[in-house]
Amino acid sequence: MTITNQTGLRADKRRGLHARWRGLRLAAAAALVGMALAGCTGEQFQKGYILPPGALEQIPIGASQDQVLIVMGTPSTVATLDGEVFYYISQRSERMVAFMNQKVVDQRVIAIYFDKNRRVRRLANYGLQDGKIFDFVSRTTPTSGQEMSYLAPIFKLISFKD
């Protein structure tokens, strides 16, 4: 082999090494960018009761308390307001970046009111709208009274920040 051929082979090997290193550097850079973007995706958190899809539609007015328990499960709390009331309490929050604080996005209290015969008298899906407690089923804001005096502390309790 001549000296010229050996020099040419060494140059080819160096070019091949440079090309491989360039490819590895590009792959490493792409991986770093991917990890950085993955850290920017938000997280969602659900606390309390998770309402099964279509559950409220399965509870007609006049349904028994046992039917409600089968469809909805055990309530978060129970109260007695002119009959028994089952409350299912939930809160959904999110944070945009892993190290930031959570922000409450939605909080709900589903209330199922029973008459003296333990039959469903009324359904309500309470949440906050414009800073006031609002029933998303009847599209009304509850007035003051026994019902409101029970709902207000529940919303204050679940409104804390993590």
Side-chain angles (χ1 to χ4, degrees):
M1 219 181 242
T2 64
I3 295 176
T4 310
N5 278 344
Q6 288 178 352
T7 308
L9 286 174
R10 280 191 223 139
D12 286 344
K13 284 183 183 177
R14 275 185 289 195
R15 273 187 243 126
L17 284 175
H18 286 296
R20 276 191 228 138
W21 278 109
R22 190 176 332 130
L24 286 173
R25 282 185 288 190
L26 284 173
L32 283 172
V33 169
M35 286 189 289
L37 289 176
C40 292
T41 59
E43 294 178 282
Q44 289 196 353
F45 304 91
Q46 176 75 39
K47 297 176 186 170
Y49 183 76
I50 299 174
L51 180 66
L56 291 179
E57 290 79 18
Q58 295 178 34
I59 303 172
I61 302 300
S64 72
Q65 207 172 56
D66 291 334
Q67 287 173 304
V68 171
L69 289 170
I70 289 169
V71 173
M72 300 287 286
T74 305
S76 304
T77 188
V78 177
T80 306
L81 299 172
D82 191 30
E84 205 167 22
V85 184
F86 286 0
Y87 291 102
Y88 297 88
I89 304 167
S90 68
Q91 182 184 71
R92 195 168 46 92
S93 60
E94 65 183 22
R95 66 177 168 204
M96 299 309 290
V97 181
F99 55 84
M100 293 182 72
N101 289 332
Q102 293 179 21
K103 176 185 169 193
V104 175
V105 177
D106 188 33
Q107 44 194 10
R108 295 294 172 113
V109 175
I110 296 169
I112 302 176
Y113 298 88
F114 297 96
D115 61 17
K116 301 289 185 194
N117 298 324
R118 297 175 51 157
R119 297 278 177 191
V120 174
R121 176 172 45 102
R122 182 167 77 94
L123 296 169
N125 185 353
Y126 296 111
L128 291 179
Q129 183 173 8
D130 299 328
K132 295 181 181 176
I133 297 174
F134 183 78
D135 179 5
F136 289 92
V137 173
S138 68
R139 303 300 225 171
T140 60
T141 301
T143 58
S144 60
Q146 193 175 13
E147 177 182 27
M148 190 63 179
S149 66
Y150 194 76
L151 286 172
I154 290 176
F155 273 96
K156 285 181 184 173
L157 180 68
I158 64 175
S159 292
F160 67 91
K161 304 262 184 189
D162 287 339

